[in-house]
Amino acid sequence: MPITKKLFIVDEEAKEISKRYISLRYMFAPYLYNLVYRMNKYGELFASPMFYHYQDDLNCLDINDQYMVGKNIIVAPIVDKDTYKRIVYLPKGEWINIINNNKYEGNNYYIVDMPLGETGIFIKNDSIIPISNKIMIRDDPP
């Protein structure tokens, strides 16, 4: 049996999905770094339930399957196996799905398609989100 340096074997589809989300993480590194700084300096939350930033929005009180990263990004992941769409609530304002650039008006629920490998990541329009354009991913790690 040949000896391999890889600890696990991943199919190509899973590899591409992983690369896409690792790229997103690197792209948002400046924003995430700023959130960590503010968390350490001021005690602000890095990730929070929806009602933390939208206390006057009663719809946010019962949401337990989507969350905010900072105060300008909502993450609404798929949490059930073999599910490819979900209901997403977006509070006041205009929100943009960064995966497909669709725009949504807030104070509404939406059924959002999320094919395999996608998750709902919504940015509040007119937010200032520092991002990096340097994406460092290698196809074949050492």
Side-chain angles (χ1 to χ4, degrees):
M1 179 159 69
I3 297 174
T4 179
K5 292 198 290 187
K6 296 184 180 184
L7 298 175
F8 53 89
I9 298 172
V10 179
D11 67 15
E12 284 304 311
E13 183 178 30
K15 191 175 179 181
E16 290 304 313
I17 292 168
S18 296
K19 284 170 66 173
R20 185 173 0 153
Y21 283 96
I22 290 169
S23 294
L24 274 174
R25 187 189 76 189
Y26 279 114
M27 183 177 86
F28 282 105
Y31 179 71
L32 299 175
Y33 177 85
N34 184 53
L35 292 177
V36 170
Y37 171 80
R38 296 186 66 79
M39 179 180 68
N40 286 302
K41 178 105 173 149
Y42 305 112
E44 296 177 4
L45 296 179
F46 178 88
S48 61
M50 300 282 295
F51 64 80
Y52 184 79
H53 292 289
Y54 293 94
Q55 297 172 6
D56 295 333
D57 188 337
L58 297 178
N59 292 312
C60 292
L61 289 175
D62 295 324
I63 296 173
N64 60 9
D65 62 351
Q66 62 186 64
Y67 59 93
M68 302 203 64
V69 177
K71 59 183 176 183
N72 297 310
I73 296 178
I74 293 175
V75 179
I78 294 288
V79 293
D80 296 316
K81 184 178 179 180
D82 297 326
T83 303
Y84 303 102
K85 62 175 70 179
R86 63 158 290 157
I87 296 173
V88 174
Y89 177 74
L90 299 171
K92 67 182 174 186
E94 184 179 57
W95 296 85
I96 301 169
N97 182 332
I98 67 162
I99 302 298
N100 57 27
N101 290 321
N102 288 342
K103 291 184 180 181
Y104 301 89
E105 192 57 42
N107 284 332
N108 286 301
Y109 289 90
Y110 295 94
I111 297 175
V112 179
D113 290 325
M114 293 183 201
L116 181 65
E118 288 189 14
T119 194
I121 303 174
F122 301 86
I123 294 180
K124 192 166 191 177
N125 199 15
D126 295 330
S127 298
I128 297 174
I129 307 284
I131 60 172
S132 172
N133 62 358
K134 295 191 182 213
I135 308 301
M136 301 174 288
I137 293 187
R138 293 179 47 174
D139 285 333
D140 188 23

